[in-house]
Amino acid sequence: MPAPFRLVASDIDGTLIRSDGTLSPRTIDVIERLPVPLVLVTGRPVRWLRQLYDQMSDPPPAVCANGAVVYDPDTDEVLVATSMDVELLLDVAKKLRDAVPDISLAVEVEDGRAFWYDENWPMRWESEHRQVRVLTSPEELTSVPAVKLLARSASAGSPDDFFALVSRTLGGLAETTHSSSSALVEISAAGVTKAAGLAWLSEREGITAEHVLAFGDMPNDLPMLAWAGHSVAMGNAHPSVAEIADEVTATNDEDGVAVFLEKTFNL
């Protein structure tokens, strides 16, 4: 007998997709036969969804930028966008630049459809994309509202250490989290988390937390996993995620989400 879940929420990277960025045939098959809706809940911006959507026959809605943006692929519409205003960005950027001398910053603007970054930002993807550009001055970074601010440091030590430093520096001024294997911290307006974005979308569909099954692997998934009625950590999850989850499934490269859904829904 399937559990009384009415919605499945899944992180993307390290969770739903394999390490090579693909959805396995098994996972695609399970998604297509899933008897309840699927929602993607990710740190990715809207512009990074196409690579995944192109692998799916019926792309589901997505909670992006760690909860700041809710996106409907059927209409190409941003349903919600919660930005950090210019005053907050100025305050946060000043505190970080004062605390971390070698810090480099970037922002997701235009509801996450564009990316601006400091000249010293270590650009690793999409540098030729027309919506991605290097800033001409530090002041330009805080000139418009942003759904996410990203901070990197080459000298900050481990990802967990850098996250702790940034969190102490900001002291609750904004929401901080991380999901990278490098010293990268993701910053949003206070109260903006994957849980908040998913809760908004679930409420819109008349679904409460107790009927949500959620999957994740990194610290930015913690609020969502704590909010959902039943939480599942991947076999490759960060220790903090495995510690709070109700269950642990196989790794993303072993199709852990599909394995769990097959068992849960008798697929």
Side-chain angles (χ1 to χ4, degrees), residues 7-11 34 37-41 60-63 198 201-202 224:
L7 182 74
V8 172
S10 179
D11 173 51
L34 195 63
L38 171 69
V39 174
L40 304 175
V41 189
V63 176
L198 179 58
L201 185 58
S202 298
M224 172 180 70

Side-chain angles (χ1 to χ4, degrees), residues 2-257:
F5 299 122
R6 298 181 54 200
L7 182 74
V8 172
S10 179
D11 173 51
I12 296 175
D13 298 284
T15 301
L16 189 66
I17 62 174
R18 292 185 165 183
S19 299
D20 64 2
T22 63
L23 282 171
S24 71
R26 182 179 186 178
T27 298
I28 291 172
D29 177 65
V30 167
I31 289 173
E32 291 179 346
R33 294 190 291 127
L34 195 63
V36 299
L38 171 69
V39 174
L40 304 175
V41 189
T42 179
R44 290 188 184 200
V46 170
R47 68 182 184 282
W48 278 13
L49 294 176
R50 182 49 50 196
Q51 175 265 349
L52 178 62
Y53 281 163
D54 284 346
Q55 301 178 60
M56 310 174 87
S57 59
D58 186 19
V63 176
C64 305
N66 292 327
V69 174
V70 180
Y71 177 70
D72 182 353
D74 291 336
T75 60
D76 189 29
E77 180 184 4
V78 170
L79 304 176
V80 172
T82 306
S83 299
M84 304 173 69
D85 62 28
V86 168
E87 183 178 355
L88 178 58
L89 283 171
L90 281 167
D91 197 1
V92 168
K94 182 180 186 307
K95 288 181 183 297
L96 292 177
R97 292 191 196 280
D98 289 346
V100 187
D102 75 333
I103 202 163
S104 55
L105 302 174
V107 285
E108 298 281 0
V109 297
E110 298 176 14
D111 300 340
R113 296 180 191 265
F115 184 71
W116 300 353
Y117 58 99
D118 279 345
E119 190 172 13
N120 63 336
W121 180 266
M123 198 63 191
R124 300 174 181 177
W125 304 280
E126 65 177 15
S127 58
E128 300 303 317
H129 196 287
R130 64 182 180 82
Q131 293 169 305
V132 174
R133 65 184 180 87
V134 63
L135 300 173
T136 57
S137 71
E139 292 75 24
E140 193 177 1
L141 181 93
T142 55
S143 63
V144 297
V147 293
K148 192 191 329 184
L149 173 70
L150 299 100
R152 281 191 185 277
S153 170
S155 64
S158 73
D160 289 339
D161 289 343
F162 185 50
F163 169 70
L165 172 60
V166 171
S167 298
R168 286 196 306 271
T169 300
L170 298 184
L173 181 64
E175 202 74 40
T176 56
T177 191
H178 65 118
S179 60
S180 175
S181 58
S182 62
L184 168 68
V185 173
E186 304 160 64
I187 303 164
S188 306
V192 173
T193 65
K194 286 190 174 187
L198 179 58
W200 182 91
L201 185 58
S202 298
E203 182 178 353
R204 185 173 185 257
E205 301 301 320
I207 298 171
T208 57
E210 63 182 318
H211 296 296
V212 176
L213 171 62
F215 296 86
D217 73 307
M218 289 298 281
N220 64 331
D221 294 313
L222 289 170
M224 172 180 70
L225 297 177
W227 175 84
H230 197 79
S231 58
V232 182
M234 306 305 294
N236 51 286
H238 187 279
S240 64
V241 175
E243 182 178 350
I244 68 102
D246 295 311
E247 296 190 60
V248 176
T249 186
T251 70
N252 64 315
D253 286 325
E254 297 168 330
D255 302 334
V257 172

